[in-house]
Amino acid sequence: MNKGTLKQILLITDGCSNKGEDPSVVSQKIHKQGIVVNVIGILSEGEGSDSLLEIEEIATSGGGVSQLVYPNQLLKTVQTVTKQAMNQTLKGVVNQELKQLLSKDQSIDTLPPDQRGEVIEVVEELAETTQMELIVLVDTSLSMQNKLETVKEALIDLSITMNARIGKNQFMICAFPGAKTVTEKVMDWKSELKDLHAVFPKLTSRGVTPTGPALKEAFYQFSQTDLMRSFEGETTEEPFDFSL
Amino acid sequence: MKRQKSHSISVYNLTPGTQIVGYWHQQTFTIIKPLGVGTVGAVYLVKRQDQALLALKISDNSLSITSEINVLKKLSKVRGNRLGPCLYDRDDWRINSINCYSFYTMSYIKGRSFNEAVRNASVNVLFTLISQLLDQVEHLHKAGFVLGDVKVENVMVSDDLKNISFVDVGGITMMGRSIKEYTEFYDRGYWQMGTRYAEVSYDLFSIAMLALHGIYQKPFKRQEKPSAQLSKKMNQNPALKPYRTCMEKALHGRYTSAKKMKEDLNLITAPSRKRTRSNTHVPSIAHTSIGELIILAVGSVVLFIVATFY
Ligand SMILES: Nc1ncnc2c1ncn2[C@@H]1O[C@H](COP(=O)(O)OP(=O)(O)O)[C@@H](O)[C@H]1O
Ligand SMILES: [Mg+2]
């Protein structure tokens, strides 16, 4: 199997998009390029969990995982979501290989328990050793003001989890909406998330949340870093096209 | 995460009498009562068709269940291992074409969770149990694994306070890898006191935190200076005084083996026959200090307020 790099975008937001393309459509296109989109929605106290329906949609079409949390649960959630999405992607890749090896309607879950155990061991081995490129896309609109400190802590914690693995990691942080552009790169590719104190300096006023365009720009950050190829099974032949 | 999705049937609240039939081996398991629910799955006391009483763990996360089965299989090959339950059956419960849940059965461990068990016990008894746990963990370490997810819910103590067992193998990780599962309060990464590499010192940190949890009976949140905060916690309870050095050593990763920590503890819990006998007034955990409880209560209220206005 082709050992590649796992690529993920982690979107952290507290509101719905209201400008530009539909984020779910963008997310689906990104996924077609072998990149997974995960979404964490931060709830405000007293806010019901049905208030951010869009979040699940973005993650589902992005092949990723979504979770709605209150700020105090963010620490654990950021790393759970990331790891879960990793396992899910790798399980998908292994499943793909199995179908080729066995038959079209075989999957990990239809294997007898003992064989399944062996396959899961392979998935875990991959999760431990593959390289990972993660772009964290943080909503820094005014409503996020009180939450950014927690976001920083959670990102530092994520780096502790990811860097305990054997595989190497690269992280980038982008904020949106930016002062002049849709997104602003606030931390370029780095192997660790630390010293984040000065990372989110400016908060932009409430009103616009261009989630779709921001996702698109985050995607282009990957394309610029042609470090490694994506997983074979994940990419499609069709050329990438964002025109709607 | 997945649990929030509504299924036609939830494996987290199966009622007594429900029959689970394994798809691959056609064994029937009848639910007697629930034993507990954790972060991964639900565990039930069941009667197998041959009348054997077993604990059955089931979940909608087949990846985690399968991974735990793998660990249990590996543990069964470790000689002299007394840690954790034995694996019996592994199968899938296919309710219909859509709903399929993986499960396994293991030996049923009678007892209470660590916290409940030590609530009214002396600090001495608590550390005698910890020492026993360390003894088992030493075997595990020698076999190349760490426990990972140490916490009060995963440690069971027999009613006579003589035996301690570890029930949840979900966190057991091969040395040199990244810890598979952890719980913040017991995790040195959370306390900014180390990595999440699977190594001996990772477990010893969480075992020290398990002791602290047993003593204060509830977890506390991380504050500005985590390391200093833990030292303070150690000084707050006078009953902890003899154990302070040992605990600090474990928290700061200065033990190279569980055995060494156990030996240090044993020197304190059972120094010699004579001293134990004269030691009639062992302070009980529940009666340590009312002031302490008040501080804790006020502290958590403040924390709650802070969290609300965050
Ligand atoms: N073998 C067992 N015997 C008795 N009780 C058990 C056994 N295994 C688990 N339990 C009970 O069920 C609870 C949940 O099981 P656990 O394996 O910890 O699930 P999770 O992995 O979801 O945390 C435990 O906290 C314990 O109280
Ligand atoms: Mg558990």
Side-chain angles (χ1 to χ4, degrees), chain A:
Chain A
M1 184 178 141
N2 169 34
K3 261 206 176 178
T5 301
L6 275 187
K7 294 179 182 178
Q8 285 189 2
I9 294 174
L10 173 64
L11 168 66
I12 303 178
T13 180
D14 70 344
C16 286
S17 66
N18 57 13
K19 195 173 180 231
E21 298 99 312
D22 177 351
S24 300
V25 175
V26 177
S27 172
Q28 191 169 24
K29 291 188 171 172
I30 293 175
H31 184 45
K32 283 216 172 116
Q33 300 300 310
I35 296 162
V36 164
V37 182
N38 298 319
V39 192
I40 293 177
I42 306 183
L43 295 164
S44 307
E45 218 55 55
E47 201 176 356
S49 55
D50 54 345
S51 57
L52 294 170
L53 276 177
E54 186 187 67
I55 277 158
E56 195 178 333
E57 238 175 82
I58 303 174
T60 309
S61 44
V65 176
S66 69
Q67 179 83 335
L68 284 174
V69 289
Y70 291 104
N72 61 352
Q73 302 160 305
L74 197 64
L75 207 65
K76 189 78 201 239
T77 308
V78 165
Q79 65 95 27
T80 322
V81 161
T82 307
K83 275 184 108 170
Q84 217 182 26
M86 254 180 108
N87 282 330
Q88 191 173 300
T89 309
L90 292 166
K91 202 176 158 190
V93 172
V94 173
N95 242 341
Q96 210 62 37
E97 305 266 318
L98 272 182
K99 279 193 207 309
Q100 276 168 21
L101 230 62
L102 305 167
S103 74
K104 266 237 175 293
D105 41 50
Q106 278 283 15
S107 80
I108 298 180
D109 293 325
T110 60
L111 286 175
D114 283 339
Q115 276 167 288
R116 188 188 311 153
E118 285 167 35
V119 177
I120 292 297
E121 200 131 313
V122 174
V123 173
E124 285 183 333
E125 175 78 29
L126 285 171
E128 182 70 33
T129 54
T130 42
Q131 303 190 42
M132 167 84 154
E133 279 173 23
L134 174 70
I135 295 180
V136 186
L137 181 59
V138 185
D139 176 350
T140 51
S141 58
L142 212 56
S143 57
M144 284 287 288
Q145 189 152 30
N146 306 324
K147 298 156 191 165
L148 286 181
E149 213 38 58
T150 320
V151 170
K152 281 182 209 171
E153 274 186 30
L155 293 182
I156 294 168
D157 194 76
L158 173 69
S159 158
I160 296 178
T161 290
M162 296 308 286
N163 284 321
R165 299 184 317 126
I166 293 165
K168 297 267 175 295
N169 307 293
Q170 287 288 313
F171 304 97
M172 179 191 276
I173 305 177
C174 295
F176 78 101
K180 293 196 188 79
T181 45
V182 174
T183 61
E184 202 170 320
K185 193 194 293 177
V186 289
M187 191 194 89
D188 209 341
W189 292 113
K190 255 192 200 171
S191 61
E192 258 179 288
L193 291 166
K194 58 175 188 184
D195 306 326
L196 299 182
H197 317 289
V199 155
F200 304 118
K202 301 177 282 283
L203 287 154
T204 31
S205 64
R206 189 195 278 262
V208 281
T209 311
T211 312
L215 277 169
K216 194 163 85 178
E217 288 198 9
F219 165 78
Y220 284 125
Q221 296 295 336
F222 278 118
S223 346
Q224 281 166 23
T225 66
D226 47 337
L227 281 172
M228 285 249 183
R229 287 160 53 209
S230 311
F231 279 99
E232 252 172 19
E234 291 287 307
T235 48
T236 51
E237 292 77 43
E238 61 188 84
F240 190 57
D241 175 21
F242 260 130
S243 57
L244 287 164

Side-chain angles (χ1 to χ4, degrees), chain B residues 38-39 149 151 153-154 168:
Chain B
T39 43
D149 199 10
K151 57 172 162 183
E153 295 89 345
N154 288 347
D168 185 359

